[in-house]
Structure formats: C-alpha cells, structure tokens
DNA sequence: TATTAAATAGGAATAATTCCAAATTAAAAA
DNA sequence: TTTTTAATTTGGAATTATTCCTATTTAATA
C-alpha cells in the first residue's frame, strides 16, 4: 500500500490522515514480525525524528479501534501489534518472543466446522485463534 | 490437595516447602478464575498477613518453572495465573478480562490429528491452545 | 483563508513487575 | 538434636511499559 492508499484507508475509517498515522501504519504494513510500540517508534523516527512515543501509542490505539491493527498476546509483558488481519494463527517459538504466522485454510475450515457442530451455549464466537508453542528441532535455527 | 500433599508436590519438584509456597499454591488450586498476582496476594494474606508481594511473584515464578502453574494473558494485558494444567482452551469474553476454560477431548483429538498430518518443518509442537473470542448472546450474562 | 475539532508532543504519573541486600528458614549433615 | 548452609523471604527501591495531561499544532471544512 502506498502513501496515497494509506491516506485513503485512514480517511475511510474516519481518521485524520496525519503524517504520524501514515508513517505508523506504513511501518506496521512493512513488517511481518509483530513489532512492539518501541519497535515502531524506532522505525517511524527515521521518517519523523520529532515523533513522540505517546503518538505511537495513540495511533496504534486508533488503528486498533478501527480494526486496522490488532494486538498479539505474548508471554512476556510487552504488547505486540499486527496489521495483518486475515485469519491466521501464531507459532510461539521457544517460549520467547519470536512469533511466526501460520496460515491454513484447511485448519480454519476444520475449526469452523467443529464449532458449528459444537456451539457454546449463549456465546457467539467472533474469532478462533490457535497458539502453537514449541521449539525448533534439528540444527536449523538453533543457537545454543 | 491438602497441605501435606502440597508439601510433597513441592518437594518432589525440588522446591523447599515454605509456608509461603504452600499457601500460594493452595490458593491457586482453590480458584478456577485465573487470578492475578494481586488476587493471590489478597488470598494468601488472610493466612500469612506478613507475606510480601515480592514473594508472591517469586513463588509464582518458581511454580511456573516447575510446570505447576502457567500464565494466561488477558486482553487488558494483565498477567493471570492458572494451576490447572490439563489440556484446555480459553474463551475470552467481550474483549474484557473474563476468561473461561473450555475442555473438549474431541477438539484436542481433532487438533492433534491435524498437526500429525500437517507437521511444521523443523518445529516441534509442545502445546496447542485455542483462544475463542466473542460475546454472550441472549440476555444471559449481558449487562448493558 | 479562516475556523474548528481533532491530534501531537513530551513530560509527569501510574501500575505491574523486577531487583537488591539483609534477615530468616527449611533441609541436609553432623 | 544441633549445626550448617544454601535457598528463600522481605520490603523498599528501581525499572519498564503504558497512560494521562494540556498547551500547541494541524488536517479537514466551510
């Protein structure tokens, strides 16, 4: 998405298209790595050196409210953000902070079917998300 | 689990059976509601008025390290603790802080089968956990 | 171009958690 | 049982992520 498209997307969602928001959202779209607020702060600072960390938080909050960004739960206490909202699951590597996206239409179908057959009384499911925890095996990405 | 059994469990896991640990673990086993550190602090204070909040955190960390307790993150980013470690999933109600346990052997079998057939290259899955987000429907537990 | 409501900056405040060092204590050894 | 010792507890200080506050700035609109 280019700057112009981002501007439009912000306006469409009733958000004033400020340079700060454009750059924050642009940074979010550039990375698949579920950045923290600080990560985004660093990235956007390259473009707008005067930007404040408060603005990062404010902007992320606005984007979340408009469903353009979501948060990812980690075991540690830093919030991570995600601008990719198509249905996917998360692989948590090594109990740590590495989170990888996992896409599978087959899995989504399986889950949707299951909960269609086994609905939860008085509860409407809006999102089904899987957390896969584990570790790399072999010597692929290992480093101890 | 009574005091004696808790003592044994702690020793078996190489943890000194201090009154503090016994009471913290006992409190954890008494509640299904995924308490926060502060919640446990309040509960244990009834038994040991002099206990320190640091000890609550230390103790929970020890219990986590020995796999007697695990953590759950809420949408509002507070860490909650869980002493019930049999396979279950979590229902997040209304974007808030309420988390309900969801047990289903059928679902677990389904998921295990799926990942047996669709293993992730160089990755060993240790835990498969589902997050169900949604809201109550009807007038059951609604309050707005 | 002027108006205005919304957004930003940045520093202070808050809240959860971790850190630290001295005092205490459970478990092991004598 | 007593002594020894290494682990644990305390409680206050420090840290960290996030929120709050408000004067200033700015995008959108008329």
């Amino acid at each position: 998405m280019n700057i112009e498209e981002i501007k439009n997307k912000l306006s469409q969602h009733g958000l004033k298209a400020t340079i700060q928001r454009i750059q924050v959202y642009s940074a979010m779209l550039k990375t698949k790595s579920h950045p923290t607020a600080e990560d985004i702060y660093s990235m956007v600072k390259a473009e707008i050196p005067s930007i404040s960390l408060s603005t990062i938080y404010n902007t992320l909050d606005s984007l979340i409210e408009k469903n353009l960004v979501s948060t990812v739960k980690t075991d540690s206490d830093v919030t991570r953000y995600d601008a990719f909202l198509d249905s996917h699951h998360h692989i948590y590597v090594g109990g740590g902070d590495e989170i990888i996206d996992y896409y599978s239409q087959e899995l989504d179908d399986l889950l949707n079917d299951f909960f269609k057959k086994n609905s939860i009384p008085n509860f409407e499911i809006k999102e089904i998300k899987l957390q896969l925890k584990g570790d790399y095996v072999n010597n692929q990405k290992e480093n101890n």
Side-chain angles (χ1 to χ4, degrees), chain A:
Chain A
M1 227 185 279
N2 64 31
I3 302 294
E4 210 48 45
E5 291 171 314
I6 291 177
K7 263 190 175 174
N8 289 338
K9 177 139 280 195
L10 291 172
S11 304
Q12 283 159 25
H13 286 81
L15 293 175
K16 253 161 98 169
T18 63
I19 319 129
Q20 290 84 348
R21 282 178 176 162
I22 293 165
Q23 290 300 330
V24 167
Y25 191 41
S26 168
M28 285 299 306
L29 292 171
K30 269 186 203 129
T31 173
K32 289 257 175 197
S33 66
H34 314 96
T36 64
E38 286 284 346
D39 291 339
I40 299 171
Y41 186 42
S42 312
M43 289 188 260
V44 176
K45 254 194 156 166
E47 307 297 323
I48 314 171
S50 66
I51 198 168
S52 150
L53 182 54
S54 299
T55 301
I56 303 293
Y57 279 107
N58 288 339
T59 301
L60 288 169
D61 286 349
S62 305
L63 294 173
I64 288 167
E65 200 185 354
K66 299 299 180 182
N67 291 308
L68 294 173
V69 162
S70 68
T71 57
V72 188
K73 289 186 206 343
T74 64
D75 279 344
S76 78
D77 45 16
V78 255
T79 303
R80 291 176 170 275
Y81 300 85
D82 192 351
F84 300 92
L85 300 175
D86 44 358
S87 171
H88 66 273
H89 307 280
H90 285 139
I91 302 176
Y92 293 74
V93 183
D97 266 343
E98 191 180 354
I99 302 171
I100 299 170
D101 289 339
Y102 180 83
Y103 288 85
S104 166
Q105 188 58 52
E106 188 188 345
L107 176 60
D108 290 342
D109 292 345
L110 205 70
L111 290 169
N112 288 326
D113 278 3
F114 178 86
F115 286 105
K116 203 166 283 173
K117 287 180 201 138
N118 302 273
S119 64
I120 303 169
N122 301 311
F123 189 78
E124 188 197 2
I125 297 173
K126 290 203 178 134
E127 185 186 285
I128 302 175
K129 205 139 197 166
L130 217 63
Q131 297 181 173
L132 296 165
K133 294 192 191 181
D135 289 290
Y136 290 121
V137 284
N138 300 345
N139 36 29
Q140 285 301 104
K141 277 215 183 179
E142 207 73 72
N143 62 343
N144 57 328

